[in-house]
Amino acid sequence: GQNIDQPTEMTATEGAIVQINCTYQTSGFNGLFWYQQHAGEAPTFLSYNVLDGLEEKGRFSSFLSRSKGYSYLLLKELQMKDSASYLCAVTDNDYKLSFGAGTTVTVRA
Amino acid sequence: IAGITQAPTSQILAAGRRMTLRCTQDMRHNAMYWYRQDLGLGLRLIHYSNTAGTTGKGEVPDGYSVSRANTDDFPLTLASAVPSQTSVYFCASSGGQGGPDTQYFGPGTRLTVL
């Protein structure tokens, strides 16, 4: 099975940087996904990491350390529209996803 | 291109009633999934299908059944609904080419069982 932990809530100011950490313990690992979910909407794909290191996509970056069972999602130049829940998800040996409970980020003016 | 559609958008159901949540995708994805999302628990996998004609159990399959008669449709049935099945249900699909494909989610069905 999978055990995935991420903080419940984070608050930051518009224009700032926020880092959302995710730790996992898995019986198998084939990569880690980050999804964004606005209130009342479906999750949407943000990033995928399978190798150690940093993946950058515009204002969003995701980091993975497989040996430490650790990932983070970095949101830079925060905008009001970034207020959402961010879901960390790990794929197992059968490529099924297990999700963390999600981190709700609130961006304040 | 619609992607993934789910119906109904929301439903209030009496306990003991039978209910089928519909999910259709037009991306010709092989794999489809049903999740439920509850506050504080995140998304949990109910059932999945790697390809038409096959299904499998996820983390919380009890009280639910699925079928996959063709590539596009993956209905989820609650044979006799109970209040603990009150949740938001998301259907998802992925290419399912044997690797960790990105899953794409439908808009969800909000189900309340009284």
Side-chain angles (χ1 to χ4, degrees):
Chain A
Q2 319 284 28
N3 185 21
I4 301 166
D5 291 314
Q6 51 181 130
T8 303
E9 295 180 335
M10 301 183 75
T11 301
T13 305
E14 196 173 15
I17 298 172
V18 68
Q19 177 174 314
I20 306 168
N21 296 324
C22 173
T23 59
Y24 61 90
Q25 293 174 306
T26 64
S27 56
F29 181 83
N30 274 297
L32 186 144
F33 288 84
W34 284 96
Y35 280 81
Q36 180 190 60
Q37 186 178 24
H38 286 99
E41 298 183 7
T44 56
F45 169 76
L46 284 179
S47 68
Y48 170 68
N49 295 69
V50 66
L51 300 176
D52 286 357
L54 188 68
E55 295 279 344
E56 297 187 82
K57 280 187 178 182
R59 295 189 298 113
F60 293 2
S61 304
S62 56
F63 172 83
L64 176 67
S65 169
R66 294 180 65 147
S67 62
K68 295 182 179 179
Y70 168 70
S71 173
Y72 68 73
L73 180 69
L74 194 69
L75 315 180
K76 294 178 280 189
E77 301 170 18
L78 279 172
Q79 301 176 10
M80 299 300 288
K81 66 179 181 179
D82 298 329
S83 291
S85 286
Y86 292 85
L87 314 179
C88 174
V90 174
T91 54
D92 64 14
N93 288 334
D94 294 327
Y95 303 113
K96 295 192 295 296
L97 283 179
S98 293
F99 284 83
T103 300
T104 299
V105 172
T106 301
V107 180
R108 294 185 173 165
Chain B
I1 298 177
I4 302 181
T5 58
Q6 293 184 236
T9 301
S10 65
Q11 182 75 44
I12 299 174
L13 189 66
R17 297 295 296 269
R18 180 184 180 90
M19 176 73 191
T20 295
L21 308 185
R22 299 184 298 279
C23 175
T24 300
Q25 53 103 0
D26 63 4
M27 297 178 283
R28 306 306 294 171
H29 282 170
N30 286 323
M32 297 186 74
Y33 313 84
W34 274 106
Y35 295 89
R36 60 178 290 173
Q37 186 173 38
D38 303 289
L39 194 64
L41 294 178
L43 286 157
R44 292 181 293 168
L45 183 65
I46 304 171
H47 284 287
Y48 65 95
S49 169
N50 287 330
T51 189
T54 69
T55 62
K57 294 182 180 180
E59 179 185 355
V60 288
D62 294 344
Y64 306 95
S65 63
V66 292
S67 61
R68 186 87 184 278
N70 57 62
T71 298
D72 298 344
D73 302 300
F74 191 42
L76 176 74
T77 297
L78 290 67
S80 180
V82 296
S84 62
Q85 292 177 312
T86 293
S87 187
V88 180
Y89 291 86
F90 287 101
C91 179
S93 72
S94 68
Q97 299 300 321
D101 294 317
T102 300
Q103 291 186 19
Y104 297 91
F105 286 80
T109 294
R110 183 174 296 275
L111 181 67
T112 303
V113 182
L114 301 176

